[in-house]
Amino acid sequence: MLHPGLVIEWKEKYARPIVEQCKETWLVEGSNSIRPPPIYDVGMAVSWHHDTGPFPAHFTIYTEDGFTTDHEFSASGQHKVTATKALRNDAATPRVALMTGITGQDGSYLAELLLAKGYTVHGIVRRSSSFNRHRIDKLPKARLFLHYGDLSDGTSCLQIIEKVRPDEIYNLAAQSHVQTSFETSEYTGDIDGLGVLRLLNGIRAAGLEHTTRFYQASTSELFGRVREVPQSELTPFYPRSPYGVAKQYGYWIVVNYREAYGMHASNGILFNHESPRRGPTFVTRKITRSVARIHLGLENEVHLGNLNARRDWGHARDYVDAMWRILQQDQSDDYVIATGKMTSVRSFVEASFSAVNVRIEWQGTGADEIGIGYNLTDPTVPSRVRVRIDPKYYRPAEVEQLLGNATKAHDQLGWTASTSVSDLCKEMVESDLRLVLDGDLES
């Protein structure tokens, strides 16, 4: 326990200090750490002297990167840091979340949701030669902290987990492009499969297996060549891509660690979910992006693969709410998250063009099929080909249909999808129109 005679002198460590020098004495009432007044709570360096009393002396420094450090000084002046933990406000004790994939579509929406709920959010980002943080640039920074790490590096994962000591971990990072997984199968297996194991082992190595809750972003691609329609938590898996196979390992290692070590670890089997923040190489965003550019005269047509593939498409904003709900349950479990409605790629194209008042009519079959656009706003505008098929976009092993049964999520989580496919397409096209008009041709 600290002696009441301990005096802590707090100084701003930057060139333009908010407080040049503040000296106060705090009486310690059964605590081994000092909580300074709010004006001193972030970014302060500390010097000290001890008027009277016993050693060692203990106190806590609040730092600007979102952590507190517990310090100990001996009578001889030796100093050591005894503990480091994530910053929390004592008044409400907000929970601390650690996320992988925070710069992606789902990560940005989830960070937004958690910050709105009062969480302190830590995100793991890969160190690369270029920044890709536009999705989170506008999020409030007071309780948002980023750390360099990688799912391929178990040591970095463990170090971050030990430092942050989160209440909840959301693993959203993955090589998530199905077509690309055929070309980078080994990398996909390492990140999407073994990356999950590294995080789970990191939780255990940090001694958090009974306190930290873990969410794994699983996928409807597990069902692949579907065994039944619709697919539920009990439907057998039959993945049809290296991505799906890697995700199946991730799914079962979560179940295994839950059963073997009593960890609160859950899988969210999320069916396809899109938004204006979806990457431009995914088929839905490729469609809406091309529709916007065609409408503004920057492109003539869009080239696609299998128009007959059918998916259960929802909005990512709805789906991250389900992720959060999963980790609030007393018992960990696995949940299908889906709309229960199936739409073909062909229909997604039609709904997207409809957002700019263009009707698509189809002619031909197979690789020779084309989509002809008719301008409904101005019928005098000549019709022309707007969609063509390019066999290079066919998958080596196609998944023809995916349709989820989210009854369990509805009954146990109180979750229901709230965005229709037509509203989703309209929102995405309008967003892509704004990007082009603002001069952004890259996002």
Side-chain angles (χ1 to χ4, degrees), residues 416-433:
T416 303
S418 61
T419 308
S420 68
V421 169
S422 59
D423 287 343
L424 173 64
C425 291
K426 185 173 185 291
E427 180 183 343
M428 292 176 68
V429 170
E430 289 176 348
S431 172
D432 282 321
L433 285 168

Side-chain angles (χ1 to χ4, degrees), residues 277-298:
R277 301 180 191 178
R278 180 57 110 176
T281 60
F282 289 83
V283 65
T284 49
R285 181 72 197 293
K286 178 181 179 180
I287 291 168
T288 63
R289 197 167 179 251
S290 290
V291 168
R293 292 171 180 231
I294 289 170
H295 182 69
L296 295 174
L298 300 180

Side-chain angles (χ1 to χ4, degrees), residues 186-373:
E186 184 176 339
Y187 174 76
T188 301
D190 185 36
I191 300 301
D192 298 8
L194 292 178
V196 184
L197 178 64
R198 293 182 183 111
L199 289 175
L200 292 170
N201 282 338
I203 293 171
R204 294 190 62 231
L208 299 174
E209 64 266 35
H210 300 305
T211 56
T212 295
R213 298 185 173 192
F214 181 81
Y215 171 84
Q216 167 61 14
S218 200
T219 171
S220 58
E221 290 288 331
L222 293 174
F223 298 117
R225 180 178 288 175
V226 297
R227 305 290 88 188
E228 63 181 7
V229 179
Q231 296 88 53
S232 72
E233 294 81 4
L234 301 179
T235 302
F237 297 149
Y238 197 141
R240 296 270 284 166
S241 66
Y243 168 73
V245 172
K247 281 289 191 175
Q248 182 168 351
Y249 176 88
Y251 174 94
W252 282 117
I253 201 64
V254 167
V255 173
N256 181 254
Y257 271 49
R258 179 171 71 215
E259 296 175 351
Y261 302 113
M263 298 175 67
H264 194 295
S266 301
N267 287 291
I269 307 174
L270 272 59
F271 279 64
N272 296 68
H273 47 288
E274 316 300 322
S275 77
R277 301 180 191 178
R278 180 57 110 176
T281 60
F282 289 83
V283 65
T284 49
R285 181 72 197 293
K286 178 181 179 180
I287 291 168
T288 63
R289 197 167 179 251
S290 290
V291 168
R293 292 171 180 231
I294 289 170
H295 182 69
L296 295 174
L298 300 180
E299 290 182 9
N300 293 322
E301 54 193 38
V302 56
H303 292 195
L304 300 170
N306 182 7
L307 294 174
N308 297 319
R310 293 179 293 168
R311 294 292 183 269
D312 185 329
W313 271 304
H315 199 300
R317 184 175 51 237
D318 296 340
Y319 284 44
V320 299
D321 176 62
M323 298 177 190
W324 176 78
R325 289 172 184 254
I326 288 172
L327 287 198
Q328 310 319 304
Q329 303 307 300
D330 291 336
Q331 300 296 324
S332 53
D333 206 344
D334 309 312
Y335 297 88
V336 163
I337 306 299
T339 70
K341 298 178 181 178
M342 193 158 52
T343 304
S344 67
V345 174
R346 183 190 307 276
S347 295
F348 198 98
V349 170
E350 294 168 357
S352 298
F353 273 101
S354 178
V356 291
N357 212 23
V358 170
R359 185 180 75 250
I360 296 295
E361 292 187 2
W362 303 98
Q363 294 181 6
T365 59
D368 296 324
E369 187 172 12
I370 55 175
I372 300 176

